[in-house]
Coordinates of all heavy atoms in Angstrom, one line a residue:
A1014 N 54.1 136.2 136.4 CA 53.2 134.8 136.6 C 51.9 135.2 135.9 O 51.0 134.3 135.9 CB 52.9 134.6 138.0
T1015 N 51.7 136.5 135.3 CA 50.5 136.8 134.7 C 50.7 136.9 133.2 O 51.6 137.6 132.8 CB 49.9 138.2 135.3 OG1 49.9 137.9 136.7 CG2 48.6 138.5 134.8
A1016 N 49.8 136.4 132.4 CA 49.9 136.4 131.0 C 49.5 137.7 130.6 O 48.4 138.3 131.0 CB 48.9 135.3 130.3
P1017 N 50.3 138.3 129.6 CA 49.8 139.7 129.1 C 48.7 139.5 128.3 O 48.6 138.6 127.4 CB 51.1 140.1 128.3 CG 51.7 138.9 128.0 CD 51.6 137.9 129.1
Q1018 N 47.7 140.3 128.3 CA 46.4 140.3 127.6 C 46.6 141.2 126.4 O 47.2 142.2 126.5 CB 45.2 140.7 128.5 CG 45.1 139.8 129.7 CD 44.8 138.4 129.3 OE1 44.0 138.0 128.3 NE2 45.5 137.4 129.9
P1019 N 45.8 140.9 125.4 CA 45.9 141.8 124.2 C 45.3 143.1 124.5 O 44.3 143.2 125.1 CB 45.1 140.9 123.1 CG 44.4 140.0 123.9 CD 45.1 139.6 125.2
N1020 N 45.9 144.1 123.9 CA 45.4 145.5 124.3 C 44.4 145.9 123.1 O 44.7 145.8 121.9 CB 46.6 146.4 124.1 CG 46.2 147.9 124.3 OD1 44.9 148.2 124.5 ND2 47.1 148.8 124.4
P1021 N 43.2 146.0 123.5 CA 42.2 146.3 122.4 C 42.4 147.5 121.7 O 41.6 147.9 120.7 CB 40.9 146.2 123.2 CG 41.2 146.7 124.7 CD 42.7 146.2 124.8
H1022 N 43.3 148.4 122.1 CA 43.4 149.7 121.5 C 44.7 149.9 120.6 O 44.9 150.9 120.1 CB 43.4 150.8 122.6 CG 42.3 150.7 123.5 ND1 41.0 151.1 123.2 CD2 42.2 150.4 124.8 CE1 40.2 150.9 124.1 NE2 40.8 150.5 125.3
D1023 N 45.4 148.9 120.6 CA 46.7 149.0 119.8 C 46.7 148.6 118.4 O 47.8 148.6 117.7 CB 47.9 148.3 120.5 CG 47.8 146.9 120.4 OD1 46.8 146.3 119.9 OD2 48.8 146.2 121.0
G1024 N 45.5 148.3 117.9 CA 45.5 148.1 116.4 C 45.6 146.7 116.0 O 45.5 146.3 114.8
H1025 N 45.9 145.8 116.9 CA 46.0 144.3 116.4 C 45.7 143.4 117.6 O 45.8 143.9 118.7 CB 47.3 144.0 115.7 CG 48.5 144.1 116.8 ND1 48.9 143.2 117.6 CD2 49.3 145.2 116.8 CE1 49.9 143.6 118.3 NE2 50.3 144.8 118.0
S1026 N 45.5 142.2 117.3 CA 45.2 141.2 118.4 C 46.5 141.0 119.1 O 47.6 141.4 118.6 CB 44.6 140.0 117.8 OG 43.4 140.3 117.0
G1027 N 46.4 140.3 120.2 CA 47.6 140.0 121.0 C 48.5 139.0 120.4 O 48.5 138.6 119.1
S1028 N 49.3 138.6 121.2 CA 50.4 137.5 120.8 C 49.9 136.4 120.2 O 49.0 135.7 120.6 CB 51.3 137.1 122.0 OG 52.0 136.1 121.6
G1029 N 50.3 136.2 118.9 CA 49.9 135.0 118.2 C 48.5 135.0 117.6 O 48.0 134.1 117.1
T1030 N 47.7 136.1 117.6 CA 46.4 136.3 117.2 C 46.4 136.6 115.8 O 47.3 137.1 115.3 CB 45.5 137.1 118.0 OG1 46.2 138.5 117.8 CG2 45.5 136.7 119.5
V1031 N 45.3 136.4 115.1 CA 45.1 136.8 113.6 C 43.7 137.3 113.5 O 42.9 137.0 114.2 CB 45.4 135.5 112.7 CG1 46.7 135.0 112.7 CG2 44.3 134.5 113.0
S1032 N 43.7 138.2 112.6 CA 42.5 138.7 112.1 C 41.6 137.7 111.4 O 42.1 136.9 110.7 CB 42.6 140.0 111.2 OG 41.4 140.4 110.8
S1033 N 40.2 137.7 111.8 CA 39.5 136.8 111.1 C 38.7 137.4 109.8 O 37.7 136.9 109.4 CB 38.4 136.3 112.1 OG 37.6 137.4 112.6
N1034 N 39.2 138.7 109.5 CA 38.3 139.4 108.4 C 38.6 138.7 107.0 O 37.8 138.9 106.2 CB 39.0 140.8 108.3 CG 38.6 141.6 109.5 OD1 37.7 141.3 110.3 ND2 39.4 142.7 109.7
T1035 N 39.8 138.0 106.8 CA 40.1 137.3 105.6 C 40.3 135.9 105.9 O 41.1 135.5 106.7 CB 41.2 137.9 105.0 OG1 41.0 139.3 104.8 CG2 41.5 137.4 103.6
T1036 N 39.7 135.0 105.0 CA 40.0 133.6 104.9 C 40.6 133.2 103.7 O 40.1 133.6 102.7 CB 38.7 132.8 105.4 OG1 37.8 133.0 104.4 CG2 38.3 133.2 106.8
I1037 N 41.6 132.3 103.6 CA 42.2 131.6 102.4 C 42.1 130.2 102.6 O 42.5 129.6 103.5 CB 43.6 132.2 102.3 CG1 43.6 133.7 102.3 CG2 44.2 131.5 101.1 CD1 45.1 134.2 102.2
E1038 N 41.5 129.7 101.4 CA 41.4 128.2 101.5 C 42.8 127.5 101.2 O 43.5 128.1 100.3 CB 40.5 127.7 100.4 CG 39.0 128.2 100.7 CD 38.0 127.7 99.6 OE1 38.4 127.1 98.6 OE2 36.9 128.0 99.7
R1039 N 43.1 126.5 101.9 CA 44.4 125.8 101.7 C 44.1 124.4 101.6 O 43.2 123.8 102.2 CB 45.4 126.2 102.8 CG 45.7 127.7 102.9 CD 46.8 127.9 103.9 NE 46.4 127.6 105.3 CZ 45.7 128.6 106.0 NH1 45.6 129.7 105.5 NH2 45.3 128.3 107.2
A1040 N 45.0 123.7 100.9 CA 45.0 122.2 100.8 C 45.5 121.8 102.2 O 46.3 122.2 102.8 CB 46.0 121.7 99.8
Q1041 N 44.7 120.7 102.6 CA 44.9 120.2 104.0 C 45.7 118.7 104.1 O 45.8 118.2 105.1 CB 43.6 119.9 104.7 CG 42.9 121.4 104.9 CD 43.6 122.5 105.7 OE1 44.2 122.0 106.8 NE2 43.7 123.6 105.4
S1042 N 46.0 118.3 102.9 CA 46.6 116.9 102.9 C 47.5 116.9 101.8 O 47.4 117.5 100.8 CB 45.5 115.9 102.7 OG 44.9 115.9 101.4
P1043 N 48.5 115.9 101.8 CA 49.4 115.7 100.7 C 48.7 115.3 99.4 O 49.1 115.7 98.3 CB 50.4 114.5 101.2 CG 50.3 114.6 102.7 CD 48.9 115.0 102.9
E1044 N 47.6 114.6 99.4 CA 46.9 114.2 98.3 C 46.3 115.5 97.7 O 46.3 115.6 96.4 CB 45.7 113.3 98.7 CG 46.2 111.9 99.2 CD 46.7 111.8 100.6 OE1 46.5 112.9 101.3 OE2 47.3 110.9 101.0
A1045 N 45.8 116.4 98.4 CA 45.2 117.6 97.9 C 46.4 118.4 97.2 O 46.2 119.1 96.2 CB 44.6 118.5 98.9

Side-chain angles (χ1 to χ4, degrees):
T1015 306
Q1018 300 299 315
N1020 183 357
H1022 306 291
D1023 69 354
H1025 63 81
S1026 304
S1028 170
T1030 63
V1031 296
S1032 170
S1033 60
N1034 295 341
T1035 304
T1036 59
I1037 299 179
E1038 295 180 0
R1039 295 187 292 274
Q1041 300 296 322
S1042 67
E1044 292 77 9

